PDB file of all heavy atoms in Angstrom:
ATOM      1  N   LEU A 220       5.808  63.695   8.201  1.00 98.00           N
ATOM      2  CA  LEU A 220       5.153  62.809   9.161  1.00 98.00           C
ATOM      3  C   LEU A 220       4.595  61.535   8.506  1.00 98.00           C
ATOM      4  O   LEU A 220       4.497  60.507   9.169  1.00 98.00           O
ATOM      5  CB  LEU A 220       4.063  63.559   9.909  1.00 98.00           C
ATOM      6  CG  LEU A 220       4.557  64.539  10.973  1.00 98.00           C
ATOM      7  CD1 LEU A 220       3.409  65.300  11.593  1.00 98.00           C
ATOM      8  CD2 LEU A 220       5.410  63.858  12.024  1.00 98.00           C
ATOM      9  N   ASP A 221       4.260  61.628   7.237  1.00 98.00           N
ATOM     10  CA  ASP A 221       3.731  60.422   6.579  1.00 98.00           C
ATOM     11  C   ASP A 221       4.843  59.538   6.008  1.00 98.00           C
ATOM     12  O   ASP A 221       4.572  58.509   5.409  1.00 98.00           O
ATOM     13  CB  ASP A 221       2.742  60.799   5.477  1.00 98.00           C
ATOM     14  CG  ASP A 221       3.368  61.703   4.430  1.00 98.00           C
ATOM     15  OD1 ASP A 221       4.427  62.280   4.703  1.00 98.00           O
ATOM     16  OD2 ASP A 221       2.775  61.842   3.339  1.00 98.00           O
ATOM     17  N   GLU A 222       6.120  59.912   6.242  1.00 98.00           N
ATOM     18  CA  GLU A 222       7.223  59.133   5.673  1.00 98.00           C
ATOM     19  C   GLU A 222       8.176  58.574   6.717  1.00 98.00           C
ATOM     20  O   GLU A 222       9.061  57.797   6.398  1.00 98.00           O
ATOM     21  CB  GLU A 222       8.018  59.971   4.679  1.00 98.00           C
ATOM     22  CG  GLU A 222       7.157  60.438   3.515  1.00 98.00           C
ATOM     23  CD  GLU A 222       7.978  60.687   2.262  1.00 98.00           C
ATOM     24  OE1 GLU A 222       9.038  60.085   2.097  1.00 98.00           O
ATOM     25  OE2 GLU A 222       7.510  61.503   1.441  1.00 98.00           O
ATOM     26  N   VAL A 223       8.025  58.969   7.974  1.00 98.00           N
ATOM     27  CA  VAL A 223       8.957  58.497   9.005  1.00 98.00           C
ATOM     28  C   VAL A 223       8.314  57.392   9.858  1.00 98.00           C
ATOM     29  O   VAL A 223       7.097  57.310   9.980  1.00 98.00           O
ATOM     30  CB  VAL A 223       9.426  59.647   9.944  1.00 98.00           C
ATOM     31  CG1 VAL A 223      10.325  60.612   9.195  1.00 98.00           C
ATOM     32  CG2 VAL A 223       8.251  60.358  10.577  1.00 98.00           C
ATOM     33  N   ASP A 224       9.173  56.556  10.420  1.00 98.00           N
ATOM     34  CA  ASP A 224       8.707  55.497  11.338  1.00 98.00           C
ATOM     35  C   ASP A 224       8.760  55.975  12.788  1.00 98.00           C
ATOM     36  O   ASP A 224       8.201  55.328  13.666  1.00 98.00           O
ATOM     37  CB  ASP A 224       9.576  54.242  11.192  1.00 98.00           C
ATOM     38  CG  ASP A 224       9.297  53.526   9.883  1.00 98.00           C
ATOM     39  OD1 ASP A 224       8.406  53.984   9.143  1.00 98.00           O
ATOM     40  OD2 ASP A 224       9.969  52.525   9.599  1.00 98.00           O
ATOM     41  N   LEU A 225       9.495  57.061  12.984  1.00 98.00           N
ATOM     42  CA  LEU A 225       9.780  57.499  14.345  1.00 98.00           C
ATOM     43  C   LEU A 225       9.946  58.990  14.408  1.00 98.00           C
ATOM     44  O   LEU A 225      10.566  59.582  13.500  1.00 98.00           O
ATOM     45  CB  LEU A 225      11.133  56.842  14.726  1.00 98.00           C
ATOM     46  CG  LEU A 225      11.623  56.851  16.146  1.00 98.00           C
ATOM     47  CD1 LEU A 225      10.675  56.005  17.004  1.00 98.00           C
ATOM     48  CD2 LEU A 225      13.026  56.227  16.211  1.00 98.00           C
ATOM     49  N   VAL A 226       9.357  59.630  15.417  1.00 99.00           N
ATOM     50  CA  VAL A 226       9.697  61.028  15.724  1.00 99.00           C
ATOM     51  C   VAL A 226      10.279  61.038  17.106  1.00 99.00           C
ATOM     52  O   VAL A 226       9.669  60.524  18.060  1.00 99.00           O
ATOM     53  CB  VAL A 226       8.476  61.974  15.648  1.00 99.00           C
ATOM     54  CG1 VAL A 226       8.866  63.370  16.115  1.00 99.00           C
ATOM     55  CG2 VAL A 226       7.921  62.048  14.237  1.00 99.00           C
ATOM     56  N   LEU A 227      11.496  61.561  17.219  1.00 99.00           N
ATOM     57  CA  LEU A 227      12.172  61.650  18.511  1.00 99.00           C
ATOM     58  C   LEU A 227      12.135  63.083  18.992  1.00 99.00           C
ATOM     59  O   LEU A 227      12.644  63.993  18.318  1.00 99.00           O
ATOM     60  CB  LEU A 227      13.627  61.153  18.339  1.00 99.00           C
ATOM     61  CG  LEU A 227      14.607  61.297  19.487  1.00 99.00           C
ATOM     62  CD1 LEU A 227      14.035  60.737  20.783  1.00 99.00           C
ATOM     63  CD2 LEU A 227      15.906  60.577  19.181  1.00 99.00           C
TER      64      LEU A 227
END
Side-chain angles (χ1 to χ4, degrees):
L220 286 177
D221 58 344
E222 299 207 26
V223 291
D224 288 357
L225 192 65
V226 173
L227 172 50

